[in-house]
Amino acid sequence: MELRHLRYFIAVAEEGNFRRAAERIGIAQPPLSSQIKDLEDELEVQLFRRLPRGAALTEAGEAFLAEVIVIFRQVEFAKQMALRGAAGEFGRLRIGFTGSAAFNELVPKIIRSFRKAYPSVALTLAELNTRQLLDQIRSRSIDAAFIRPGPTSPDGIKITMVAEEPMMVVLPTGHRLAKEYAIPLSSLQDEPLVLHSRELGPDLYDEVIEGFRRSGVDPVIGQIAPQITSIANLVAVELGVSIVPAPLSAINVPGVVFLPIIGDAPRARLAVATHPDDHSVVTRNFKQQVATNLQKR
Amino acid sequence: MELRHLRYFIAVAEEGNFRRAAERIGIAQPPLSSQIKDLEDELEVQLFRRLPRGAALTEAGEAFLAEVIVIFRQVEFAKQMALRGAAGEFGRLRIGFTGSAAFNELVPKIIRSFRKAYPSVALTLAELNTRQLLDQIRSRSIDAAFIRPGPTSPDGIKITMVAEEPMMVVLPTGHRLAKEYAIPLSSLQDEPLVLHSRELGPDLYDEVIEGFRRSGVDPVIGQIAPQITSIANLVAVELGVSIVPAPLSAINVPGVVFLPIIGDAPRARLAVATHPDDHSVVTRNFKQQVATNLQKR
DNA sequence: TAAAAATACTCCATAGGTATTTTAT
DNA sequence: ATAAAATACCTATGGAGTATTTTTA
């Protein structure tokens, strides 16, 4: 059985007449008769009662017609779904992000606009450190991640820059410089630094260390923070001073002040990481949303 | 697009490999590639990503596959429904009956057994007189009718005999013969008769008149009953005597007695009438149920 | 680079066309 | 008697086969 048989069957059923049906289809009457006969032979059922003035559906034909119409509806639906699938309307997107990335206003904005544009895509969000994120991108456990990359792309990872945030100094409120409006990094010579573990985010770590060195400061690590977002808390209890990406100053941590840096300050990059071999339309659409949100800025 | 394209598509999707899919279908790999390409061209969508080690569904392909599977389920369902339609499982059956026919135990038995055997057939029941029933069979307003036919088939009607019921005398309880166990028709000489209008059921009417004549009685019509089932009521108020098919003695009418007839008594025939050109399976099944119920007796 | 899919072509099965007969009322 | 479907037979499109080249990670 082919759809051709079913198309012909519908034509004869609707015209009630083989000759007119053949005309409508655009073939001659004998091959139409032959195709209908083939269909009847396959079903082992008579679909039409041949009358002297045309052909009428048998009860079997009536029952068959109702379901054949559904077949063609389903065929059309399948085509539509293929197109929508190609447009990336279905499937899932597993997004990861480092804690500090979530403070950039673009991150929730991008996720929200993607969700609105592709409501049928199942989104999952996971907060991990940059090292874990890169591993999971490589192993394809997640599809895209907001990370803090270095100036050069990690191996086997595709990077799309999202933002470059200035960094700010974090001081305990009791610190001798806490009342300034802005300070140079050089004024923090010999102050113990609170920094996240290099393991978890080596690029930002190196950027910070290098920034201090450029300002003539030889950094002294006073305390390792388990993650960037907890640096301010450690500064509040006077374990040292630090610098963090500017958006993190939005956290309301009692006992600390955030000060802009005067002069050559380290900058925190924010990027989206994806797998270079990920040809999924959903991921491509997500990167498209990232680009759109960057342009709007 | 033909079902062939969809069958091939499923094979490639399931095998993840054109060569193996072609093998499974039983064709060579190049024509399979060509058919899949035709399908992709028609849908204007890439269904497979061609990899160095086979082919993987694209997102469009995934979405399409899910719906194509439904198409084949629907094709199978349509086949099943055609077979069930051919078996007369669907449609409707409009049954008519004369009031007096309903008293024969076979009538409800036949209708009940048909309903049980074909629960999806929509049954309608209408009580009419024999003349109206025959007209509606001819005009195909009803499909089958329990009627009281004469010894010869009416014109343009197909008759299937169901029962031949003996007739019984109906007397008012105060009648001089009411205390007898059985009487001959000849004992009703000169008694006014209560009879239904000849218009409504000429065959039974003639049978009754002829029966009286055979017994040497010249019938005198005392009262015309609107229908056979009301004869007993008219006898009860002493408008005359009558004879009715034996099953009607089951009606509980105060003031009358039913007596068997001694000797040559008229017999009331009960038959199913159908249209001779009715080739419907439902009607055929109904006649089959009639036959089955006759055999069981 | 190597396995798999796509091309290029050839062939033939069958969908479709033409002429005619059969059917059903 | 007549319109319509079936049959018989022919034609040709396109589905499928074979040999080879191209593609892709």
Side-chain angles (χ1 to χ4, degrees):
Chain A
M1 189 194 297
E2 294 295 343
L3 289 178
R4 181 185 56 255
H5 294 107
L6 305 182
R7 278 189 280 265
Y8 291 2
F9 166 71
I10 289 179
V12 177
E14 286 181 355
E15 296 291 340
N17 179 303
F18 277 68
R19 192 181 43 74
R20 276 205 306 278
E23 212 165 281
R24 179 170 123 186
I25 296 164
I27 64 171
Q29 170 260 315
L32 175 57
S33 285
S34 138
Q35 291 291 311
I36 295 294
K37 188 178 182 309
D38 290 349
L39 180 59
E40 289 178 326
D41 286 352
E42 177 173 352
L43 296 177
E44 298 183 322
V45 147
Q46 193 88 355
L47 295 171
F48 295 101
R49 202 169 286 125
R50 276 68 165 181
L51 308 171
R53 307 259 155 171
L57 284 168
T58 59
E59 284 129 317
E62 293 277 10
F64 192 58
L65 177 62
E67 303 309 326
V68 167
I69 286 167
V70 176
I71 293 173
F72 283 101
R73 270 214 297 277
Q74 181 61 22
V75 167
E76 285 313 306
F77 185 67
K79 287 183 183 177
Q80 289 308 313
M81 294 304 267
L83 292 175
R84 295 178 59 184
E89 281 194 40
F90 311 122
R92 62 174 185 190
L93 184 68
R94 298 159 302 179
I95 303 175
F97 60 95
T98 56
S100 77
F103 288 89
N104 187 298
E105 54 162 14
L106 279 173
V107 173
K109 201 178 271 181
I110 289 166
I111 293 171
R112 245 183 282 122
S113 66
F114 179 84
R115 182 158 233 151
K116 195 176 166 201
Y118 303 97
S120 297
V121 173
L123 278 190
T124 61
L125 289 166
E127 180 179 343
L128 296 165
N129 63 56
T130 290
R131 185 215 189 87
Q132 292 171 317
L133 288 172
L134 293 178
D135 284 348
Q136 298 213 359
I137 290 281
R138 284 193 191 91
S139 67
R140 315 197 79 150
S141 304
I142 62 176
D143 304 301
F146 291 98
I147 58 160
R148 299 228 169 255
T152 146
S153 254
D155 217 45
I157 295 282
K158 190 156 180 265
I159 287 293
T160 309
M161 273 301 165
V162 171
E164 228 185 59
E165 303 160 344
M167 298 196 81
M168 290 180 93
V169 173
V170 197
L171 301 176
T173 45
H175 193 276
R176 61 184 166 94
L177 298 168
K179 292 286 181 339
E180 303 292 325
Y181 287 112
I183 59 172
L185 281 191
S186 55
S187 60
L188 295 178
Q189 181 72 42
D190 296 332
E191 297 270 0
L193 288 182
V194 177
L195 266 188
H196 65 278
S197 155
R198 186 172 185 282
E199 281 293 289
L200 309 182
D203 294 311
L204 183 59
Y205 184 97
D206 292 349
E207 180 74 26
V208 168
I209 298 295
E210 188 49 41
F212 274 101
R213 291 234 169 88
R214 276 204 309 276
S215 302
V217 178
D218 189 32
V220 183
I221 306 301
Q223 177 68 31
I224 299 293
Q227 48 191 335
I228 296 171
T229 48
S230 56
I231 286 176
N233 299 92
L234 299 179
V235 170
V237 298
E238 302 191 337
L239 290 172
V241 302
S242 187
I243 63 173
V244 294
L248 270 76
S249 65
I251 327 181
N252 194 2
V253 180
V256 304
V257 294
F258 294 92
L259 302 181
I261 296 167
I262 296 170
D264 176 27
R267 301 184 68 79
R269 274 173 287 272
L270 178 62
V272 170
T274 50
H275 197 287
D277 298 342
D278 186 349
H279 299 114
S280 119
V281 187
V282 174
T283 305
R284 192 200 307 155
N285 288 342
F286 180 70
K287 288 193 279 193
Q288 179 55 48
Q289 284 299 319
V290 171
T292 305
N293 276 277
L294 289 182
Q295 282 163 14
K296 276 197 290 197
R297 214 161 44 157
Chain B
M1 189 196 296
E2 295 295 342
L3 288 178
R4 179 185 57 255
H5 294 108
L6 305 181
R7 279 188 279 265
Y8 291 3
F9 166 71
I10 289 179
V12 177
E14 287 181 354
E15 295 291 339
N17 179 303
F18 278 68
R19 158 151 294 159
R20 275 205 306 278
E23 211 165 283
R24 178 170 124 184
I25 297 165
I27 64 170
Q29 171 261 315
L32 176 56
S33 286
S34 141
Q35 292 290 314
I36 295 294
K37 188 180 182 306
D38 290 348
L39 180 60
E40 289 178 327
D41 287 352
E42 177 174 351
L43 296 177
E44 298 183 323
V45 146
Q46 194 89 354
L47 295 171
F48 294 101
R49 204 169 284 125
R50 274 69 166 180
L51 308 171
R53 307 261 154 172
L57 283 168
T58 60
E59 284 127 319
E62 293 276 9
F64 192 57
L65 177 62
E67 304 308 327
V68 167
I69 287 167
V70 176
I71 292 173
F72 283 102
R73 269 213 297 275
Q74 182 62 23
V75 167
E76 286 311 308
F77 185 68
K79 288 182 185 180
Q80 289 306 314
M81 294 304 266
L83 292 175
R84 294 179 58 185
E89 281 196 41
F90 311 122
R92 63 171 184 192
L93 184 68
R94 300 160 300 180
I95 302 174
F97 61 94
T98 54
S100 77
F103 287 89
N104 187 298
E105 56 161 15
L106 278 173
V107 172
K109 202 178 269 180
I110 289 166
I111 293 172
R112 245 183 281 123
S113 68
F114 180 84
R115 183 159 233 150
K116 195 175 166 202
Y118 302 97
S120 297
V121 173
L123 277 191
T124 61
L125 288 167
E127 180 180 342
L128 295 167
N129 62 56
T130 291
R131 186 213 187 90
Q132 291 171 318
L133 288 172
L134 292 178
D135 283 348
Q136 298 212 0
I137 290 280
R138 284 196 191 91
S139 67
R140 314 195 80 149
S141 304
I142 61 176
D143 304 301
F146 291 97
I147 58 161
R148 297 230 169 253
T152 146
S153 255
D155 217 45
I157 294 283
K158 191 159 178 262
I159 288 293
T160 309
M161 273 301 165
V162 171
E164 228 184 60
E165 303 159 345
M167 298 196 81
M168 290 178 95
V169 172
V170 197
L171 301 177
T173 43
H175 193 276
R176 63 184 162 93
L177 298 169
K179 293 286 183 335
E180 302 293 324
Y181 285 113
I183 59 172
L185 282 191
S186 56
S187 60
L188 296 176
Q189 180 72 42
D190 297 329
E191 297 269 359
L193 288 181
V194 178
L195 267 187
H196 65 279
S197 155
R198 185 171 187 282
E199 281 294 288
L200 309 180
D203 294 311
L204 183 59
Y205 185 95
D206 293 348
E207 180 76 26
V208 168
I209 297 296
E210 188 50 40
F212 273 101
R213 291 232 169 91
R214 274 203 311 277
S215 302
V217 178
D218 188 34
V220 181
I221 307 300
Q223 176 71 31
I224 298 294
Q227 48 191 335
I228 296 171
T229 48
S230 53
I231 285 175
N233 300 93
L234 299 180
V235 169
V237 296
E238 303 192 336
L239 290 172
V241 302
S242 188
I243 64 172
V244 295
L248 270 78
S249 64
I251 327 180
N252 195 2
V253 180
V256 304
V257 294
F258 295 91
L259 301 181
I261 295 167
I262 296 171
D264 177 27
R267 301 183 68 79
R269 276 175 284 272
L270 178 62
V272 170
T274 52
H275 195 287
D277 298 343
D278 185 349
H279 299 115
S280 120
V281 186
V282 174
T283 305
R284 192 200 308 155
N285 287 343
F286 180 69
K287 287 193 279 191
Q288 179 57 48
Q289 284 299 319
V290 171
T292 305
N293 275 278
L294 288 184
Q295 283 164 14
K296 274 197 289 195
R297 215 162 42 156

